[in-house]
Amino acid sequence: MSKTILITGGAGFIGSHVVRLFVNKYPDYKIINLDKLTYAGNLENLRDIENKNNYIFEKGDIVDEGYVIDLFAKYNFDGVIHLAAESHVDRSITNPMEFIMTNVVGTVNLLNAAKDLWKANEEGKLFYHVSTDEVYGSLGDTGLFLETTSYDPQSPYSSSKASSDHFVRAYGNTYGMPYVISNCSNNYGPNQFPEKLLPLFINNILNGKALPVYGDGKFTRDWLYVVDHAIAIDKIYHEGRNGETYNIGGFNEWTNIDLIKILCKQMDIALGNEVGTAEELITYVKDRPGHDKRYAIDANKLKNELGWAPSLQFEEGLVKTILWYLANEKWMNNITSGDYQKYYKQQYN
Ligand code: NAD
Ligand code: DAU
């Protein structure tokens, strides 16, 4: 059945993989990608599908209420997959207001526009909110985040995402907004902006620069290949139950330092360097304020209910990712000139 779907933040890292999957898999759907093209948005991520006739790009800001209302009137969307956000924890520490505006106000603008367009509980309509495992806070040495885990966000970023999740549920409860939410763990893969751990470290190794490990490096994250996240979003969009939350994770926990050592080894192999060369760049630096110790997702609800599982083994995904960055040096060079240099100096010097 044909549908018109709004994907927000489609020029970003995860959004571009979601847009590609939907445009290629559903030729009968019309996919509208709304993106402000902040520093993190990059239309280069979508060159391979930009001329498909079921794809339209709209440059705009979800914080602009009037713009969002007009866009909903123009396209009469059947569904929204909402990924647009400020997404980097370190930036949320230096500039929380930007996160409140985009992540909270922007989400509420989209909810209001959908509420005005759709009837309560209207069949065939869906607001899919893409969220993060960081809303659950930080774990100790054991335990996993479940969909029923209480929210306990610790950073301005995770607080803004938690707030937006609450608004989505409130609109479901109060106005009959048909919705699903997914909370995912750390993604890695092609097209990730080099402020996040893996692309930052890949780029620094390529340039012989220090690898800044926060604190003692013994913080734990659960890593998932980005295409597997996009596949999960597709499944949840089409088969998820109205009003439900699904955790998405890689069943794949690593301490930062162990992960970085594997990255260094695989980079040495890919570059034909003696193993041990990249590890010499590891430099312990001041910790991130309020740094969450451990995230780990129990994704069994999604696995058991919808039959989703990660498709890649971690080292396989990591090598694939490294090879993508090596083959796309121009992509990296374009985004690491100009403003990126200013950000880097502020953050790391
Ligand atoms: P990203 O920073 O790479 O991309 C965000 C995109 O949103 C960019 O294209 C940017 O231009 C756009 N955007 C920002 N502000 C906007 C605004 N006001 N109006 C319109 N567009 C705007 O982010 P990402 O890592 O791809 O994350 C996408 C979503 O997934 C976010 O909601 C994030 O919270 C969530 N998430 C990310 C991860 C991860 O590991 N990266 C994990 C779980 C959940
Ligand atoms: O868990 C999901 C979240 O994962 C997403 O919601 C966020 O959008 C995404 O940015 C990511 O958050 P993290 O803070 O976990 O990712 P980041 O890549 O910034 O950091 C990963 C770990 O590496 C974290 O423990 C901090 C550490 N780190 C990061 C950077 C950038 C360093 O040690 N040095 C660094 O320079």
Side-chain angles (χ1 to χ4, degrees):
M1 200 182 65
S2 162
K3 282 180 192 296
T4 303
I5 299 180
L6 170 66
I7 300 183
T8 70
F13 167 46
I14 301 170
S16 61
H17 289 276
V18 175
V19 166
R20 174 174 301 101
L21 189 152
F22 272 70
V23 165
N24 286 333
K25 187 169 171 187
Y26 302 106
D28 290 349
Y29 289 8
K30 194 193 273 181
I31 302 299
I32 289 84
N33 170 15
L34 158 61
D35 200 294
K36 184 180 172 184
L37 299 182
T38 67
Y39 76 92
N42 186 352
L43 290 176
E44 288 297 320
N45 296 347
L46 292 164
R47 284 286 171 248
D48 55 321
I49 56 108
E50 68 183 359
N51 293 322
K52 298 255 176 165
N53 47 27
N54 61 339
Y55 172 72
I56 297 170
F57 175 68
E58 291 275 358
K59 183 170 189 291
D61 186 345
I62 58 170
V63 176
D64 182 342
E65 185 186 9
Y67 170 79
V68 170
I69 291 170
D70 289 348
L71 195 78
F72 274 68
K74 180 172 171 189
Y75 289 107
N76 197 13
F77 299 117
D78 298 299
V80 176
I81 305 178
H82 175 36
L83 296 110
E86 287 294 332
S87 68
H88 191 42
V89 174
D90 291 326
R91 290 187 195 250
S92 83
I93 294 167
T94 45
N95 189 4
M97 192 51 84
E98 194 89 31
F99 285 68
I100 295 163
M101 294 312 291
T102 287
N103 299 1
V104 186
V105 176
T107 301
V108 175
N109 280 338
L110 293 167
L111 285 166
N112 280 334
K115 173 171 81 64
D116 291 346
L117 189 67
W118 303 338
K119 295 188 199 79
N121 299 307
E122 188 175 338
E123 197 60 31
K125 309 297 184 201
L126 186 64
F127 192 101
Y128 184 152
H129 181 57
V130 176
S131 192
T132 170
D133 61 356
E134 298 198 14
V135 298
Y136 300 122
S138 182
L139 289 164
D141 290 340
T142 56
L144 299 171
F145 295 135
L146 290 165
E147 287 80 358
T148 50
T149 301
S150 299
Y151 275 31
D152 186 22
Q154 299 292 323
S155 72
Y157 163 68
S158 55
S159 301
S160 68
K161 292 296 290 186
S163 172
S164 62
D165 291 12
H166 289 320
F167 272 105
V168 175
R169 292 196 182 95
Y171 273 58
N173 183 55
T174 311
Y175 306 112
M177 169 74 61
Y179 77 90
V180 285
I181 297 177
S182 57
N183 296 85
C184 189
S185 63
N186 286 61
N187 284 215
Y188 72 97
N191 306 101
Q192 188 168 30
F193 192 82
E195 62 189 350
K196 309 280 165 58
L197 181 73
L198 281 171
L200 183 109
F201 278 34
I202 291 172
N203 190 41
N204 282 12
I205 292 170
L206 288 174
N207 291 292
K209 282 170 72 174
L211 305 178
V213 178
Y214 293 163
D216 62 4
K218 293 197 178 126
F219 299 83
T220 301
R221 299 290 184 264
D222 170 356
W223 294 90
L224 178 69
Y225 192 64
V226 62
V227 175
D228 282 329
H229 188 185
I231 292 168
I233 289 174
D234 175 25
K235 261 206 167 294
I236 294 168
Y237 184 85
H238 289 98
E239 298 168 41
R241 286 180 293 133
N242 183 10
E244 290 290 320
T245 296
Y246 295 89
N247 279 350
I248 310 173
F251 302 96
N252 179 41
E253 279 186 58
W254 290 88
T255 61
N256 291 342
I257 194 62
D258 288 347
L259 175 83
I260 289 161
K261 285 185 177 165
I262 297 217
L263 174 74
C264 286
K265 182 178 143 206
Q266 291 299 347
M267 283 293 289
D268 285 340
I269 294 169
L271 293 170
N273 291 338
E274 196 185 324
V275 172
T277 309
E279 254 194 59
E280 285 174 21
L281 297 169
I282 291 177
T283 310
Y284 288 90
V285 300
K286 193 158 106 349
D287 203 0
R288 170 186 281 175
H291 197 169
D292 286 337
K293 188 76 188 163
R294 177 170 166 259
Y295 306 142
I297 277 277
D298 183 337
N300 278 306
K301 175 176 173 182
L302 178 60
K303 193 173 172 199
N304 297 335
E305 243 185 57
L306 304 185
W308 173 90
S311 68
L312 284 183
Q313 292 300 309
F314 181 59
E315 284 212 39
E316 191 189 350
L318 189 61
V319 170
K320 215 170 151 165
T321 301
I322 289 170
L323 295 179
W324 186 87
Y325 285 97
L326 295 188
N328 288 275
E329 221 178 315
K330 200 164 149 243
W331 179 93
M332 185 64 97
N333 291 341
N334 284 345
I335 56 177
T336 51
S337 58
D339 279 354
Y340 180 80
Q341 296 302 331
K342 258 192 257 160
Y343 164 78
Y344 199 91
K345 269 203 191 100
Q346 250 165 23
Q347 180 64 27
Y348 293 100
N349 285 353

